Amino acid sequence: MADEASTFKVEDAQIIFRNFEGKETQYNRKGDRNFSVVLPPDVAIQMLEDGWNVKFSEPREDGDEGTYHIQVAVSYKNRPPRVVLITSGGRTQLNEDAIEVLDFADIQTADLIARGYNWVVGDKSGTKAYLQTLFVTIREDDLERKYKIHEDPPS
């Protein structure tokens, strides 16, 4: 029977294949919000052994190493995630309507915690990752810093 599994944390995460909007694509059903996070090989192998749905991407060029990653679902149905955008103007909690800004944000750093959900369908089973908490610091350009919202506006 399906039940709650453990969590994992990735600090200074490399986020790839972003689809926070839930846009329909060749590889994604409309409304399915998700992204993938790159995992170190030793962590990825242990997670594979524990039943997580870790994927491996072959190297794109000779001499490159392949990449282990896991897709993380972003769902607001049962337990909405806490997603915080950090800028020079402060912190902003992103809700379901605003989270899509992360699809094109220039991410400087990202720290996240994902929780697992153990599933069983017929004779297949595994652990799917769901976003629990995400703190994202974006890289701002000169104009974004110039026009940030000041707590105490200049006189």
Side-chain angles (χ1 to χ4, degrees), residues 19-25 28-33 103-104:
N19 192 350
F20 288 95
E21 178 184 350
K23 185 177 181 179
E24 183 174 9
T25 67
N28 196 70
R29 289 186 308 231
K30 182 177 173 124
D32 285 353
R33 300 170 190 258
D103 282 339
F104 300 102

Side-chain angles (χ1 to χ4, degrees):
M1 173 160 241
D3 62 357
E4 287 297 314
S6 59
T7 62
F8 66 90
K9 176 172 69 170
V10 181
E11 294 181 277
D12 201 18
Q14 181 183 356
I15 295 177
I16 58 175
F17 309 132
R18 294 187 249 176
N19 192 350
F20 288 95
E21 178 184 350
K23 185 177 181 179
E24 183 174 9
T25 67
Q26 178 182 357
Y27 304 104
N28 196 70
R29 289 186 308 231
K30 182 177 173 124
D32 285 353
R33 300 170 190 258
N34 55 67
F35 62 91
S36 289
V37 62
V38 174
L39 300 169
D42 59 328
V43 172
I45 291 166
Q46 182 60 55
M47 289 178 73
L48 272 167
E49 291 173 2
D50 292 341
W52 293 87
N53 192 17
V54 174
K55 303 289 185 193
F56 181 76
S57 294
E58 295 292 334
R60 291 185 181 205
E61 296 180 18
D62 289 340
D64 286 349
E65 293 182 20
T67 304
Y68 287 98
H69 57 90
I70 187 167
Q71 186 179 73
V72 179
V74 181
S75 175
Y76 286 85
K77 292 179 183 171
N78 295 319
R79 294 166 81 178
R82 180 166 188 232
V83 180
V84 179
L85 181 66
I86 302 168
T87 65
S88 60
R91 294 180 173 195
T92 304
Q93 187 149 341
L94 300 178
N95 62 21
E96 186 173 9
D97 297 326
I99 194 168
E100 66 189 49
V101 302
L102 296 179
D103 282 339
F104 300 102
D106 187 3
I107 296 175
Q108 182 175 334
T109 61
D111 299 325
L112 67 93
I113 297 175
R115 66 182 179 280
Y117 181 76
N118 292 326
W119 57 270
V120 177
V121 176
D123 62 345
K124 296 183 179 182
S125 64
T127 304
K128 182 173 180 175
Y130 284 88
L131 183 63
Q132 177 177 308
T133 308
L134 174 63
F135 282 80
V136 176
T137 303
I138 63 166
R139 190 172 290 107
E140 298 173 284
D141 62 29
D142 292 340
L143 292 179
E144 289 170 319
R145 283 189 298 277
K146 179 180 178 180
Y147 290 103
K148 72 179 181 183
I149 298 172
H150 296 279
E151 290 184 22
D152 296 321
S155 5

